[in-house]
Coordinates of all heavy atoms in Angstrom, one line a residue:
D1 N -71.8 -14.2 5.4 CA -71.6 -14.0 6.8 C -71.6 -15.3 7.5 O -70.8 -15.5 8.5 CB -72.7 -13.0 7.4 CG -72.5 -11.6 6.9 OD1 -71.4 -11.3 6.3 OD2 -73.5 -10.8 7.1
A2 N -72.5 -16.2 7.2 CA -72.6 -17.5 7.8 C -71.4 -18.3 7.6 O -70.9 -19.0 8.5 CB -73.9 -18.2 7.3
C3 N -70.9 -18.3 6.4 CA -69.6 -19.0 6.0 C -68.5 -18.4 6.8 O -67.6 -19.2 7.4 CB -69.3 -18.9 4.5 SG -70.4 -19.9 3.5
A4 N -68.4 -17.1 6.9 CA -67.3 -16.5 7.7 C -67.4 -16.9 9.2 O -66.4 -17.2 9.8 CB -67.4 -15.0 7.6
A5 N -68.6 -16.9 9.7 CA -68.8 -17.3 11.1 C -68.4 -18.7 11.4 O -67.9 -19.1 12.5 CB -70.2 -17.0 11.6
A6 N -68.6 -19.6 10.4 CA -68.3 -21.0 10.5 C -66.9 -21.3 10.1 O -66.5 -22.5 10.2 CB -69.3 -21.8 9.7
G7 N -66.2 -20.4 9.6 CA -64.8 -20.6 9.2 C -64.8 -21.4 7.9 O -63.8 -22.2 7.7
R8 N -65.8 -21.2 7.1 CA -65.9 -22.0 5.8 C -65.6 -21.1 4.6 O -65.9 -19.9 4.6 CB -67.3 -22.7 5.7 CG -67.5 -23.7 6.8 CD -68.9 -24.4 6.6 NE -68.9 -25.1 5.3 CZ -70.0 -25.5 4.7 NH1 -71.2 -25.4 5.4 NH2 -70.0 -26.1 3.6
D9 N -65.2 -21.7 3.5 CA -65.0 -21.0 2.3 C -66.4 -20.8 1.7 O -67.2 -21.7 1.5 CB -64.2 -21.9 1.3 CG -63.8 -21.2 0.0 OD1 -64.5 -20.2 -0.3 OD2 -62.9 -21.7 -0.7
R10 N -66.7 -19.5 1.3 CA -68.0 -19.2 0.6 C -68.2 -20.1 -0.6 O -69.4 -20.4 -0.9 CB -68.0 -17.7 0.3 CG -69.2 -17.3 -0.6 CD -70.5 -17.5 0.2 NE -71.7 -17.1 -0.7 CZ -72.3 -17.9 -1.5 NH1 -71.8 -19.2 -1.7 NH2 -73.3 -17.6 -2.2
A11 N -67.2 -20.4 -1.3 CA -67.4 -21.2 -2.5 C -67.9 -22.6 -2.2 O -68.3 -23.3 -3.1 CB -66.1 -21.3 -3.3
E12 N -67.9 -23.1 -1.0 CA -68.4 -24.4 -0.6 C -69.9 -24.5 -0.6 O -70.5 -25.6 -0.5 CB -67.9 -24.8 0.8 CG -66.4 -25.0 0.9 CD -66.0 -25.3 2.3 OE1 -66.9 -25.4 3.2 OE2 -64.8 -25.4 2.6
V13 N -70.6 -23.3 -0.6 CA -72.1 -23.3 -0.4 C -72.7 -22.8 -1.7 O -72.5 -21.7 -2.1 CB -72.4 -22.5 0.8 CG1 -74.0 -22.4 1.0 CG2 -71.8 -23.0 2.1
T14 N -73.6 -23.6 -2.2 CA -74.4 -23.3 -3.4 C -75.8 -22.8 -2.9 O -76.5 -23.6 -2.2 CB -74.6 -24.5 -4.4 OG1 -73.3 -24.8 -4.8 CG2 -75.4 -24.1 -5.5
M15 N -76.3 -21.7 -3.4 CA -77.6 -21.3 -3.2 C -78.6 -21.8 -4.3 O -78.3 -21.6 -5.5 CB -77.7 -19.7 -3.1 CG -79.1 -19.2 -2.7 SD -79.5 -17.5 -3.3 CE -79.7 -17.8 -5.0
I16 N -79.6 -22.5 -3.9 CA -80.6 -22.9 -4.8 C -81.8 -22.0 -4.7 O -82.4 -21.9 -3.6 CB -81.1 -24.4 -4.6 CG1 -79.9 -25.3 -4.7 CG2 -82.2 -24.8 -5.5 CD1 -80.2 -26.7 -4.2
A17 N -82.2 -21.3 -5.7 CA -83.4 -20.4 -5.7 C -84.6 -21.2 -5.9 O -84.8 -21.8 -7.0 CB -83.3 -19.4 -6.8
V18 N -85.5 -21.3 -4.9 CA -86.7 -22.1 -5.0 C -87.8 -21.3 -5.5 O -88.3 -20.4 -4.9 CB -87.0 -22.7 -3.6 CG1 -88.3 -23.6 -3.7 CG2 -85.9 -23.5 -3.0
T19 N -88.2 -21.6 -6.8 CA -89.1 -20.7 -7.5 C -90.5 -21.3 -7.7 O -91.3 -20.8 -8.5 CB -88.5 -20.4 -8.9 OG1 -88.2 -21.7 -9.6 CG2 -87.2 -19.7 -8.8
K20 N -90.9 -22.2 -6.8 CA -92.2 -22.8 -6.9 C -93.3 -21.6 -6.7 O -93.1 -20.7 -5.9 CB -92.5 -23.8 -5.9 CG -92.4 -23.4 -4.4 CD -92.6 -24.5 -3.5 CE -92.6 -24.1 -2.0 NZ -92.8 -25.2 -1.1
T21 N -94.3 -21.7 -7.5 CA -95.4 -20.7 -7.6 C -95.0 -19.4 -8.3 O -95.8 -18.6 -8.6 CB -96.0 -20.3 -6.3 OG1 -95.2 -19.4 -5.6 CG2 -96.4 -21.5 -5.4
Y22 N -93.7 -19.2 -8.7 CA -93.3 -18.0 -9.4 C -93.1 -18.3 -10.8 O -92.8 -19.4 -11.2 CB -92.0 -17.5 -8.7 CG -92.2 -16.9 -7.4 CD1 -92.0 -17.6 -6.2 CD2 -92.7 -15.6 -7.3 CE1 -92.2 -17.0 -5.0 CE2 -93.0 -15.0 -6.1 CZ -92.7 -15.7 -4.9 OH -93.0 -15.1 -3.7
P23 N -93.2 -17.3 -11.7 CA -93.2 -17.6 -13.1 C -91.8 -17.8 -13.7 O -90.8 -17.4 -13.0 CB -93.8 -16.3 -13.7 CG -93.5 -15.2 -12.7 CD -93.6 -15.9 -11.4
A24 N -91.8 -18.3 -14.9 CA -90.5 -18.5 -15.6 C -89.7 -17.2 -15.7 O -88.5 -17.2 -15.8 CB -90.7 -19.2 -16.9
G25 N -90.4 -16.1 -15.9 CA -89.7 -14.8 -16.0 C -88.8 -14.5 -14.8 O -87.7 -13.9 -15.0
D26 N -89.2 -14.9 -13.6 CA -88.4 -14.7 -12.5 C -87.1 -15.6 -12.6 O -86.0 -15.1 -12.2 CB -89.1 -15.1 -11.2 CG -90.1 -14.0 -10.7 OD1 -90.2 -13.0 -11.4 OD2 -90.7 -14.2 -9.7
V27 N -87.2 -16.8 -13.1 CA -86.0 -17.7 -13.3 C -85.1 -17.0 -14.3 O -83.9 -17.0 -14.0 CB -86.5 -19.1 -13.7 CG1 -85.2 -19.9 -14.0 CG2 -87.4 -19.7 -12.7
V28 N -85.6 -16.5 -15.4 CA -84.8 -15.9 -16.4 C -84.1 -14.6 -15.8 O -82.9 -14.4 -16.0 CB -85.6 -15.5 -17.6 CG1 -84.8 -14.6 -18.6 CG2 -86.1 -16.7 -18.3
A29 N -84.8 -13.8 -15.0 CA -84.2 -12.7 -14.4 C -83.1 -13.1 -13.4 O -82.1 -12.4 -13.3 CB -85.3 -11.8 -13.7
L30 N -83.4 -14.1 -12.6 CA -82.4 -14.5 -11.6 C -81.1 -15.0 -12.3 O -80.0 -14.8 -11.9 CB -83.0 -15.6 -10.7 CG -84.0 -15.1 -9.7 CD1 -84.7 -16.3 -9.0 CD2 -83.3 -14.3 -8.6
A31 N -81.3 -15.8 -13.4 CA -80.2 -16.2 -14.2 C -79.4 -15.1 -14.7 O -78.1 -15.1 -14.7 CB -80.7 -17.1 -15.3
G32 N -80.0 -14.0 -15.1 CA -79.3 -12.8 -15.6 C -78.6 -12.1 -14.4 O -77.6 -11.4 -14.7
L33 N -79.0 -12.4 -13.2 CA -78.3 -11.8 -12.0 C -77.2 -12.8 -11.5 O -76.6 -12.5 -10.5 CB -79.3 -11.5 -10.9 CG -80.3 -10.4 -11.2 CD1 -81.4 -10.4 -10.2 CD2 -79.6 -9.1 -11.2
G34 N -77.0 -13.9 -12.2 CA -75.9 -14.8 -11.8 C -76.3 -16.0 -11.1 O -75.4 -16.8 -10.6
V35 N -77.6 -16.2 -10.9 CA -78.1 -17.5 -10.2 C -78.0 -18.6 -11.2 O -78.5 -18.6 -12.3 CB -79.5 -17.3 -9.7 CG1 -80.1 -18.6 -9.2 CG2 -79.6 -16.2 -8.6
T36 N -77.4 -19.7 -10.8 CA -77.1 -20.9 -11.6 C -78.0 -22.1 -11.3 O -78.1 -23.0 -12.1 CB -75.7 -21.3 -11.6 OG1 -75.3 -21.5 -10.2 CG2 -74.8 -20.2 -12.2
D37 N -78.5 -22.1 -10.1 CA -79.2 -23.3 -9.5 C -80.6 -22.9 -9.1 O -80.8 -22.0 -8.3 CB -78.5 -23.9 -8.4 CG -77.1 -24.4 -8.8 OD1 -76.2 -23.7 -9.0 OD2 -77.0 -25.7 -9.0
V38 N -81.6 -23.6 -9.6 CA -83.0 -23.3 -9.4 C -83.7 -24.6 -8.9 O -83.5 -25.7 -9.4 CB -83.7 -22.8 -10.7 CG1 -85.2 -22.6 -10.5 CG2 -83.0 -21.5 -11.1
G39 N -84.6 -24.5 -7.9 CA -85.3 -25.6 -7.3 C -86.8 -25.5 -7.5 O -87.4 -24.4 -7.4

């Protein structure tokens, strides 16, 4: 929605999942859901 409002291509924006304090299992689960970038 933010990209549409700004007139930008959604592919221009990468989401980084910030997993501090969360276990490695959450990272594995997010990767299985298509998340490629973790902070």
